[in-house]
Amino acid sequence: MDSVVTDPCGLSDMEGEGALEALGEQLYSLIYPKHAEIAGKLTGMLLELPGPALSQMLEDEALLAGALEKALSALDKQLVPSKRPYNDEENVSESSDSLGDQLFELVDTYNTGHSQKITGMLLEQHKETVLKLFSEPTLLQEQVNLSLKTLNEQELETCMSDPSLMEDMDRLGENLFLLVERLDPVHATDITGMLLEMDPSTLPLLLRDNKALEGAVRKAQAALENFKSSV
């Protein structure tokens, strides 16, 4: 399964084929007892998420349950439209707002961090093409990955063309590193890189709130440990 780069400004990629396979086996063993008939499908959907997020799910039952709930909801919505006669002109002419809301919920299950932007990009296509996304999960996945790749390229171009953004990120990374180093000197570089993959709007909170920082560092440490043990 193809992985998607979600750190356009040069952040580390922790996903390898062997690591993903190991994570997949562990996820499958957790999912199978409650969802035996579709355990493989659910595991495949979750494996589209970043490696660190998958590792956290293995440690956090609530996080895994939330991800499964989104995946199940996406499957339900994918099954319903496939039974509808979308070639009927009356059904095809649904309101754009309703279609957009439904598509957003499906796109949001991929946890790309850009659900709203990707949904908007997909809605720019012909309505018949958009409707196919509801009944063809593989097509939806391909479209989401393609849209995310486009967004990453645009963000990378912005980072490269605006020195002030790079400077701000560098300063933020340096300050964050100094705080992380106090908590885990050995893995400070790796953990700082992982934290910098978070939503930029949440990073200033980590600089101000020690509890928030400690919590984020603990999750990163767990992800690193799981990653190393699975390699």
Side-chain angles (χ1 to χ4, degrees):
M1 191 171 300
D2 294 333
S3 60
V4 177
V5 178
T6 57
D7 55 342
C9 289
L11 303 175
S12 61
D13 180 8
M14 296 175 56
E15 296 182 14
E17 292 184 4
L20 277 180
E21 183 177 352
L23 286 172
E25 292 175 355
Q26 295 178 65
L27 282 172
Y28 183 86
S29 66
L30 295 175
I31 295 171
Y32 184 83
K34 294 183 179 179
H35 307 284
E37 295 183 358
I38 55 174
K41 177 65 175 177
L42 292 173
T43 302
M45 294 175 71
L46 294 187
L47 285 175
E48 293 300 316
L49 303 176
L54 295 175
S55 298
Q56 291 177 24
M57 288 181 194
L58 297 177
E59 300 292 328
D60 190 330
E61 292 184 6
L63 187 61
L64 175 60
L68 285 174
E69 184 177 348
K70 282 188 174 183
L72 287 168
S73 175
L75 282 177
D76 288 341
K77 290 184 179 297
Q78 289 169 1
L79 291 175
V80 172
S82 65
K83 300 177 182 179
R84 298 176 56 186
Y86 276 129
N87 56 341
D88 184 283
E89 186 64 28
E90 183 178 351
N91 287 328
V92 171
S93 60
E94 295 182 18
S95 71
S96 297
D97 289 341
S98 175
L99 195 62
D101 291 341
Q102 295 175 55
L103 185 59
F104 175 84
E105 291 186 19
L106 291 180
V107 173
D108 197 43
T109 62
Y110 290 92
N111 291 336
T112 62
H114 301 285
S115 298
Q116 188 170 355
K117 290 182 179 179
I118 291 176
T119 300
M121 294 169 69
L122 297 182
L123 287 173
E124 292 178 358
Q125 302 178 97
H126 192 281
K127 180 166 287 187
E128 290 183 359
T129 303
V130 175
L131 292 176
K132 286 182 180 180
L133 300 177
F134 290 88
S135 57
E136 300 182 23
T138 301
L139 178 61
L140 175 62
Q141 178 182 322
E142 291 175 353
Q143 292 289 323
V144 169
N145 288 344
L146 181 60
S147 298
L148 185 58
K149 181 180 179 180
T150 299
L151 286 173
N152 285 338
E153 291 174 349
Q154 292 174 349
E155 291 180 3
L156 178 59
E157 184 176 346
T158 300
C159 287
M160 298 299 293
S161 62
D162 190 343
S164 65
L165 292 180
M166 294 296 290
E167 291 174 1
D168 289 342
M169 183 61 72
D170 288 343
R171 284 196 295 269
L172 186 60
E174 291 171 0
N175 292 333
L176 196 56
F177 176 82
L178 293 176
L179 296 177
V180 172
E181 190 176 28
R182 298 176 184 175
L183 301 175
D184 190 338
V186 177
H187 304 104
T189 300
D190 290 335
I191 292 175
T192 300
M194 294 170 67
L195 297 183
L196 287 173
E197 294 182 23
M198 299 172 61
D199 185 338
S201 64
T202 66
L203 295 179
L205 174 63
L206 300 182
L207 297 177
R208 299 192 305 266
D209 190 328
N210 287 332
K211 290 185 177 180
L213 176 63
E214 290 173 0
V217 169
R218 282 196 297 270
K219 287 184 178 180
Q221 289 171 328
L224 274 176
E225 187 63 29
N226 283 320
F227 177 75
K228 290 179 180 178
S229 63
S230 65
V231 174

